[in-house]
């Protein structure tokens, strides 16, 4: 396919119509596709790649023109070249010309905010340095314990029922519970906060009120840390030498909370869905050919939590993917289409488990600083849930699963499952190991009684080496009234298993 090397004045001036046999994608002025009206964005991206190459012109709501970057190399170049592309939307031509109204549906994603992801230069280094510094102080062992405990609490809510919805009852809750611990506000976690986050991300009529509720939680947290600093993420932001204002701290807490929550909720749901619907995927996990971290990485390639990111803006006239990009043009960071670029993945069925060159966490100066948190929540959460519910299975036909789709992400609506009912587990217990029973006082092999006998106090360590009992002691042992089969003394706690086995074999 011969591609025109340049568009004269940008994506809004194209006039080509849809190709013959085009599926039911809504088409706007100039024959450009409206992304928000596409029924199948993945199919549309492939169609656009075939027609236009790695960078394609599209329309957003209100027919606002935009470029969508489809190529892996082109996306990497865009995010790694801050001299040419910025995330500061204030230079976006449609916004400056009044074409993008204040109530535009995508304004919450695009509007400039005083956060590091929209800053550049010295201001970006100041804000990003504070966020990165706070991330680096997170104790990952402690974080994984939090993930394990919250997994147990969530599974305990439904384990006795024998059925659950792993989206609404697990994937949408675990990331929020863990992020509240990390930020320093575990008392704020609850159904209300989860519902507010979901409502805000959907962009409903009550989204503004939901955002206000979330910001109220974060404002209270900031105020507490100003008066009572603690060793958590919010406390580190407050004490950082960069001197962030309360507004900057609150906005960064919001960005970290919502981005980590949405991305990880989608990642958890996607990994669990593959385990439940792809027998080969689950067999690899059960057989040890694939670890849970490798399963997570494969999912990040095939179903990234965010499909695209809004947005990047050209600081000067340039060229990308054979297209002329004007100063002030907007570009979508196309994560999902880049991850299936045939130039980097000619065979989509190939194993990508050990390859981290996907774009699920972005790249360049604005690469996600909390990607290890998302990975840990998914890895520990999935592993612990499968340990608790080893026979979990899908409770509907795979074809009945539904997704909600936006330009930014694709979210699984529900994941109904069945399993053998289980008793609740202690929150501090290791999900891979049941509670260790009390040590037996003998080596009898058999069924343990339902009510174990109390374990006697171990005898004091002998002051001299063991020796055969004297004759008078043996006689006393067989005297009338003495037990017929006295239990042997419990070996010292420090004695090894092999030594105890030898003692038993020799009759001591």
């Amino acid at each position: 396919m011969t591609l025109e090397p340049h568009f004269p004045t940008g994506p809004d001036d194209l006039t080509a119509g849809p190709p013959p046999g085009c599926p039911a994608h809504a088409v706007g002025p100039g024959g450009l596709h409206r992304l928000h009206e596409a029924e199948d964005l993945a199919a549309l991206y492939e169609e656009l790649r075939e027609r236009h190459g790695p960078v394609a012109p599209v329309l957003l709501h209100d027919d606002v023109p935009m470029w969508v970057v489809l190529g892996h190399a082109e996306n990497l170049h865009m995010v790694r070249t801050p001299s040419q592309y910025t995330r500061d939307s204030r230079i976006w031509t449609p916004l400056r010309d009044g074409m993008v109204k204040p109530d535009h549906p995508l304004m919450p994603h695009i509007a400039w905010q005083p956060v590091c992801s929209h800053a550049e230069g010295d201001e970006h280094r100041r804000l990003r340095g504070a966020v990165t510094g706070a991330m680096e102080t997170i104790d990952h062992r402690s974080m994984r314990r939090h993930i394990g405990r919250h997994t147990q609490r969530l599974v305990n809510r439904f384990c006795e029922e024998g059925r659950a919805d792993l989206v609404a009852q697990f994937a949408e809750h675990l990331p929020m519970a863990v992020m509240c611990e990390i930020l320093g506000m575990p008392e704020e976690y609850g159904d209300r906060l989860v519902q507010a986050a979901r409502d805000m991300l959907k962009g409903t009529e009550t989204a503004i009120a939901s955002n206000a509720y979330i910001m109220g939680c974060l404002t209270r947290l900031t105020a507490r840390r100003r008066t009572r600093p603690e060793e958590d993420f919010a406390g580190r932001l407050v004490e950082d030498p960069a001197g962030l204002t309360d507004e900057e701290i609150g906005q960064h807490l919001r960005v970290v909370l919502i981005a980590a929550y949405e991305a990880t909720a989608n990642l958890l749901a996607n990994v669990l869905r593959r385990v439940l619907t792809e027998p080969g995927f689950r067999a690899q996990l059960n057989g040890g050919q694939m670890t849970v971290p490798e399963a997570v990485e494969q999912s990040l390639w095939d179903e990234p939590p965010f499909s695209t990111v809004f947005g990047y803006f050209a600081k000067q006239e340039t060229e990308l993917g054979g297209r002329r990009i004007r100063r002030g043009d907007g570009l979508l960071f196309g994560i999902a289409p880049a991850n299936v670029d045939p130039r980097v993945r000619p065979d989509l069925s190939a194993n990508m488990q050990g390859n981290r060159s996907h774009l699920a966490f972005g790249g360049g100066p604005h690469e996600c600083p909390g990607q290890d948190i998302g990975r840990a929540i998914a890895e520990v959460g999935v592993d612990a849930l499968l340990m608790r519910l080893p026979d979990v299975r899908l409770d509907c036909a795979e074809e009945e699963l539904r997704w909600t789709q936006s330009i930014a992400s694709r979210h699984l609506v529900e994941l109904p499952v069945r399993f053998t009912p289980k008793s609740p587990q202690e929150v501090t217990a290791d999900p891979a190991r049941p509670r260790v029973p009390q040590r037996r006082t003998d080596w009898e092999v058999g069924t343990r009684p339902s009510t174990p006998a109390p374990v006697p106090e171990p005898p004091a360590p002998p002051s001299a080496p063991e020796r055969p009992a004297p004759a008078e002691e043996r006689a006393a042992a067989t005297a009338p009234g003495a037990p017929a089969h006295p239990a042997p003394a419990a070996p010292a706690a420090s004695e090894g298993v092999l030594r105890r086995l030898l003692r038993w074999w020799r009759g001591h």
Side-chain angles (χ1 to χ4, degrees):
M1 180 177 181
T2 302
L3 298 174
E4 180 181 295
H6 296 287
F7 294 131
T9 56
D12 50 329
D13 295 315
L14 289 180
T15 58
C22 173
H25 297 311
V27 179
L32 301 184
H33 289 286
R34 296 185 176 110
L35 289 186
H36 57 288
E37 294 182 0
E39 296 179 2
D40 187 343
L41 275 172
L44 176 58
Y45 289 145
E46 292 311 304
E47 178 186 318
L48 292 173
R49 195 195 311 272
E50 180 66 24
R51 288 183 62 199
H52 301 292
V55 179
V58 293
L59 296 173
L60 304 180
H61 302 74
D62 299 338
D63 289 338
V64 175
M66 199 83 167
W67 296 100
V68 58
V69 186
L70 307 169
H72 190 276
E74 288 74 18
N75 273 290
L76 275 180
H77 174 77
M78 180 177 67
V79 301
R80 290 177 175 177
T81 314
S83 62
Q84 295 179 350
Y85 304 96
T86 178
R87 294 211 62 201
D88 187 342
S89 62
R90 291 175 293 185
I91 72 168
W92 189 22
T93 299
L95 184 64
R96 292 167 62 93
D97 292 347
M99 189 175 184
V100 180
K101 307 299 181 183
D103 61 348
H104 192 278
L106 298 179
M107 186 57 75
H109 297 274
I110 296 174
W112 180 86
Q113 300 172 45
V115 294
C116 61
S117 56
H118 289 171
E120 358 174 48
D122 292 340
E123 184 67 0
H124 175 264
R125 283 187 285 273
R126 181 180 78 89
L127 298 174
R128 174 75 179 210
V131 172
T132 303
M135 287 286 182
E136 290 174 348
T137 63
I138 294 174
D139 182 346
H140 284 262
R141 288 188 178 182
S142 176
M143 177 182 69
R144 286 179 173 264
R145 286 196 294 271
H146 285 313
I147 299 169
R149 290 168 184 166
H150 282 295
T151 297
Q152 301 313 314
R153 290 190 180 101
L154 291 172
V155 175
N156 282 347
R157 291 183 181 183
F158 55 76
C159 63
E160 295 178 289
E161 302 296 325
R163 60 191 306 170
D165 173 8
L166 293 185
V167 171
Q169 295 177 268
F170 186 72
E172 291 183 351
H173 275 265
L174 182 59
M176 185 62 76
V178 175
M179 289 308 301
C180 285
E181 294 276 3
I182 291 173
L183 296 188
M185 55 176 200
E187 72 285 348
E188 299 283 5
Y189 165 69
D191 292 344
R192 177 70 183 89
L193 188 59
V194 172
Q195 291 165 3
R198 294 254 39 94
D199 184 58
M200 187 191 71
L201 289 163
K202 291 176 183 176
T204 65
E205 294 180 355
T206 57
I208 294 177
S210 294
N211 181 64
Y213 176 83
I214 293 171
M215 286 306 302
C217 297
L218 300 175
T219 300
R220 290 192 294 271
L221 173 60
T222 303
R224 287 198 302 272
R225 290 298 171 265
R226 285 290 187 197
T227 58
R228 190 177 68 252
E230 292 189 17
E231 297 296 317
D232 50 39
F233 188 86
R236 293 290 184 177
L237 283 184
V238 167
E239 296 183 320
D240 193 89
L244 274 63
T245 66
D246 284 2
E247 181 186 6
E248 289 172 335
I249 292 171
Q251 291 295 337
H252 280 91
L253 290 174
R254 176 185 176 276
V255 168
V256 170
L257 176 66
I258 297 303
Y261 168 71
E262 174 69 358
T264 310
N266 284 345
L267 179 58
L268 269 171
N270 291 341
V271 174
L272 288 170
R273 182 196 62 80
R274 295 196 69 172
V275 170
L276 294 169
T277 60
E278 299 181 23
F281 199 80
R282 188 165 190 169
Q284 283 185 297
L285 276 176
N286 292 340
Q289 293 92 355
M290 177 172 59
T291 64
V292 173
E294 288 172 337
V296 169
E297 221 61 41
Q298 183 73 46
S299 182
L300 289 170
W301 272 102
D302 298 334
E303 299 175 291
F306 288 111
S307 306
T308 62
V309 170
F310 296 87
Y312 281 77
F313 308 92
K315 299 168 68 174
Q316 61 188 36
E317 186 162 320
T318 184
E319 183 176 316
L320 184 66
R323 297 288 174 253
R324 177 188 174 188
I325 308 297
R326 297 175 304 173
R327 184 183 187 277
D329 279 359
L331 304 97
L332 294 179
F333 176 32
I335 298 172
N339 278 0
V340 294
D341 185 344
R343 294 175 297 176
V344 297
R345 290 187 71 185
D347 180 7
L348 294 181
S349 65
N351 185 322
M352 304 296 284
Q353 295 161 14
N355 189 329
R356 286 194 172 189
S357 59
H358 54 74
L359 301 184
F361 296 113
H366 299 296
E367 184 175 6
C368 175
Q371 55 187 275
D372 289 340
I373 297 176
R375 283 189 172 99
I377 293 174
E379 292 167 8
V380 176
V382 169
D383 192 39
L385 183 137
L386 295 178
M387 286 290 187
R388 284 286 302 274
L389 310 174
D391 64 341
V392 63
R393 59 197 181 277
L394 194 64
D395 194 24
C396 69
E398 183 179 351
E399 297 76 21
E400 296 176 11
L401 295 176
R402 297 178 295 112
W403 283 262
T404 57
Q405 182 173 251
S406 68
I407 302 174
S409 66
R410 186 169 181 259
H411 188 81
L412 187 63
V413 174
E414 59 184 359
L415 189 61
V417 296
R418 281 187 177 273
F419 49 86
T420 302
K422 302 285 185 181
S423 300
Q425 188 178 80
E426 288 187 14
V427 170
T428 56
D430 183 344
R433 302 176 184 172
R435 291 185 59 190
V436 178
Q438 291 178 307
R439 189 176 63 188
R440 299 177 69 97
T441 58
D442 55 32
W443 288 92
E444 177 185 356
V445 178
T447 303
R448 184 180 177 85
S450 58
T451 305
V455 179
E457 291 293 328
S463 57
E466 293 184 23
R467 57 181 176 82
E472 59 268 28
E473 292 180 14
R474 289 196 300 270
T478 57
H485 299 285
S494 61
E495 194 172 30
V497 174
L498 180 59
R499 184 176 295 276
R500 283 182 283 168
L501 182 60
L502 290 174
R503 284 166 49 79
W504 169 80
W505 182 260
R506 294 168 180 167
H508 295 320

